[in-house]
Amino acid sequence: MSGEITNNIDKLSIDKKPDFFDDDGDVVDPWTVTSKSDTGVDYDKLMKKFGSSKIDVELLTRFEKVTGKPVHHLLKRGIFFSHRDMNLILNNYEAGKPFYLYTGRGPSSSSMHLGHLIPFQLCKWLQEVFDVPLVIQLTDDEKTLWKDITIEEAHKMAYENAKDIIAIGFDIKKTFIFSDLDYIGQCPEFYRNMIRIQKCVTFNQVKGIFGFDDSSVIGKIAFPAVQATPALSTSFPAIFNGQKIQCLIPCAIDQDPYFRMTRDVCPRIGFQKPALLHSKFFPALQGAQTKMSASEANSTIFCCDTPKQLKNKINKHAFSGGQATVEDHRRIGGNCDVDIAYQYLRFFLEDDDKLEQIRKDYSSGALLTGELKKILIDVLTPIIVQHQERRSKVTDDILKQFMTPRKL
Ligand code: TRP
């Protein structure tokens, strides 16, 4: 616990070098994730730079003690690896104080991909074990501002994405999904909190945190307040009835700049800072130098891909840590650290013993690249097929229920 106290003090977002200037070749900000290393971003360094804390064995043990359940494999395997104030959430929960979950998605494509499922899967588990409400922000406004997408297109994609999110299996009694373009105009409390936040942050500060410059459109400059606002429970009067409740945000670590800003502002306007759980990135098929991206069809497995597309993409594009010839592979063995098929299994194969056996066999050379890819295809095929089945059962009425502000 000794490093914990200093770690828990956020690096001030103010007067800080922008995150996108880096000296080690890793670039991590809400718009870009790239690394020069074939094992991907150096997460220990990133944690130091952002000033967050490691999710260590001690925290995981507390998780299990408080919930009485084994921790989710995404936590146990260090895919969710960093946090802010999670210990406070657990203390409060033990003391009977409630919290709620907040996460989101920028709808930039009509289908979500495998990487998008990761934070939502953890949210689903957290929602179940803690029995807490979850709010999901669809930032159609953000995508219109950043991409060459009209308001109407972004709004439509938000609704398409909502169906994918519902298909993950969230509890309809405990989940509110909203499009910014719809909800902000409907809810005065949300808009007021947005203005309270906007009043606390200068152009200089967002320039420092997000790298905006004089030619950035003003919608971008104001947007960080939109992403911050759901961390204030009073932005959802229908759910929380004006009560101030602490918020826990599971997200990929590239979203942290928004929430450093949020944590900076919250105490100044009478709110508790939101707590955070940060995940690593889901790598692109071509390798861990970058994350999976919806705008790169070849580097991406979409939730709507057919089993055939899935198979072809993995066989053709998944970067292999194997050797050039079978003889070399049998002799030297494969490198799991850079092998994308193995890395994807860490995200999606829940059975620890099986995963460990695969790691041993691939590393020793007993398992060949083609065989490893086949294992991955066999694991992922039912996942996407079942996802598509559940998605096809999301009727307009179910969608409407999830997206109606209501008591949860
Ligand atoms: N900006 C995120 C994206 O582009 C969407 C988002 C909004 C989000 N609120 C969030 C993500 C909270 C995680 C947590 O995808």
Side-chain angles (χ1 to χ4, degrees):
M1 279 307 269
S2 62
E4 197 79 358
I5 293 167
T6 40
N7 274 346
N8 266 343
I9 301 170
D10 296 0
K11 293 264 168 68
L12 277 191
S13 43
I14 295 164
D15 301 328
K16 184 179 146 294
K17 231 168 89 178
D19 300 317
F20 48 87
F21 291 139
D22 206 335
D23 33 25
D24 57 9
D26 287 355
V27 181
V28 176
D29 66 37
W31 305 282
T32 316
V33 175
T34 55
S35 168
K36 294 218 169 82
S37 159
D38 53 10
T39 49
V41 170
D42 182 335
Y43 289 102
D44 284 333
K45 240 185 185 169
L46 198 61
M47 243 183 325
K48 271 210 192 99
K49 203 168 82 173
F50 284 5
S52 61
S53 310
K54 191 176 164 63
I55 298 181
D56 54 15
V57 179
E58 204 177 331
L59 185 66
L60 293 180
T61 312
R62 280 220 61 209
F63 242 105
E64 297 198 332
K65 192 173 151 265
V66 172
T67 63
K69 305 240 163 65
V71 284
H72 193 274
H73 71 274
L74 291 172
L75 281 165
K76 191 171 43 188
R77 294 183 190 160
I79 291 169
F80 274 83
F81 71 107
S82 150
H83 77 102
R84 298 182 191 274
D85 287 348
M86 188 61 215
N87 35 354
L88 282 184
I89 292 277
L90 292 175
N91 290 348
N92 288 341
Y93 182 79
E94 267 187 327
K97 283 192 218 142
F99 69 94
Y100 73 102
L101 294 162
Y102 157 39
T103 193
R105 148 105 186 115
S108 58
S109 59
S110 49
S111 177
M112 296 194 2
H113 62 58
L114 286 183
H116 293 137
L117 298 179
I118 301 306
F120 287 112
Q121 285 184 344
L122 190 78
C123 280
K124 176 171 150 43
W125 180 79
L126 291 166
Q127 179 181 62
E128 281 165 11
V129 298
F130 290 102
D131 190 26
V132 288
L134 162 67
V135 298
I136 301 175
Q137 178 180 45
L138 301 173
T139 53
D140 37 17
D141 51 351
E142 175 191 14
K143 293 302 153 186
T144 314
L145 288 165
W146 261 272
K147 307 228 163 194
D148 188 15
I149 296 176
T150 63
I151 287 211
E152 290 72 20
E153 286 162 348
H155 185 248
K156 202 167 157 226
M157 288 194 268
Y159 276 70
E160 289 305 310
N161 285 188
K163 289 186 203 161
D164 273 313
I165 293 168
I166 292 167
I168 292 164
F170 291 107
D171 181 350
I172 197 162
K173 293 195 216 73
K174 294 239 155 265
T175 310
F176 173 49
I177 306 176
F178 63 99
S179 127
D180 281 345
L181 290 170
D182 288 339
Y183 185 63
I184 294 171
Q186 289 165 3
C187 179
E189 289 81 359
F190 192 103
Y191 188 62
R192 287 174 191 203
N193 280 339
M194 236 170 81
I195 298 295
R196 288 185 179 105
I197 295 165
Q198 287 181 356
K199 193 173 167 175
C200 291
V201 186
T202 67
F203 181 36
N204 225 5
Q205 289 163 353
V206 286
K207 259 202 256 188
I209 307 166
F210 299 99
F212 302 140
D213 61 29
D214 288 355
S215 61
S216 305
V217 297
I218 59 173
K220 288 190 184 180
I221 296 160
F223 176 75
V226 182
Q227 184 152 333
T229 303
L232 278 50
S233 57
T234 56
S235 309
F236 305 98
I239 306 174
F240 302 112
N241 197 19
Q243 270 181 299
K244 290 188 179 173
I245 290 175
Q246 202 186 0
C247 175
L248 170 63
I249 310 172
C251 61
I253 193 151
D254 61 338
Q255 299 298 305
D256 188 66
Y258 287 111
F259 302 120
R260 285 205 296 277
M261 186 199 84
T262 313
R263 286 171 55 89
D264 230 49
V265 171
C266 275
R268 295 157 63 191
I269 55 174
F271 286 86
Q272 243 181 313
K273 295 176 179 190
L276 287 145
L277 290 171
H278 296 126
S279 76
K280 296 180 179 174
F281 304 111
F282 190 74
L285 275 166
Q286 279 83 353
Q289 289 90 345
T290 183
K291 64 172 178 172
M292 189 171 265
S293 153
S295 41
E296 296 281 333
N298 281 336
S299 69
T300 301
I301 296 167
F302 290 100
C303 301
C304 65
D305 281 346
T306 62
K308 199 168 158 212
Q309 282 172 316
L310 171 84
K311 186 172 162 200
N312 285 341
K313 283 183 187 178
I314 292 171
N315 282 335
K316 243 198 217 150
H317 298 294
F319 183 79
S320 165
Q323 306 302 331
T325 63
V326 173
E327 292 70 39
D328 280 355
H329 190 85
R330 295 276 188 228
R331 194 165 43 86
I332 307 167
N335 179 356
C336 287
D337 293 340
V338 301
D339 191 281
I340 288 299
Y342 177 76
Q343 291 301 319
Y344 284 9
L345 286 172
R346 291 189 67 241
F347 286 79
F348 286 102
L349 175 62
E350 288 180 29
D351 186 325
D352 289 330
D353 296 338
K354 265 195 199 153
L355 184 69
E356 180 52 17
Q357 193 59 48
I358 292 166
R359 195 192 61 74
K360 277 192 192 143
D361 291 348
Y362 194 62
S363 306
S364 74
L367 193 67
L368 299 174
T369 293
E371 293 165 338
L372 177 62
K373 286 189 174 187
K374 170 137 193 339
I375 296 175
L376 177 67
I377 292 163
D378 290 344
V379 166
L380 288 181
T381 304
I383 291 177
I384 63 162
V385 168
Q386 283 160 21
H387 179 89
Q388 290 163 16
E389 276 168 21
R390 286 191 304 265
R391 191 185 193 279
S392 71
K393 292 196 187 115
V394 179
T395 60
D396 287 347
D397 183 52
I398 291 175
L399 187 63
K400 198 169 152 211
Q401 280 186 56
F402 270 100
M403 299 187 77
T404 302
R406 65 211 187 278
K407 176 110 192 68
L408 295 180

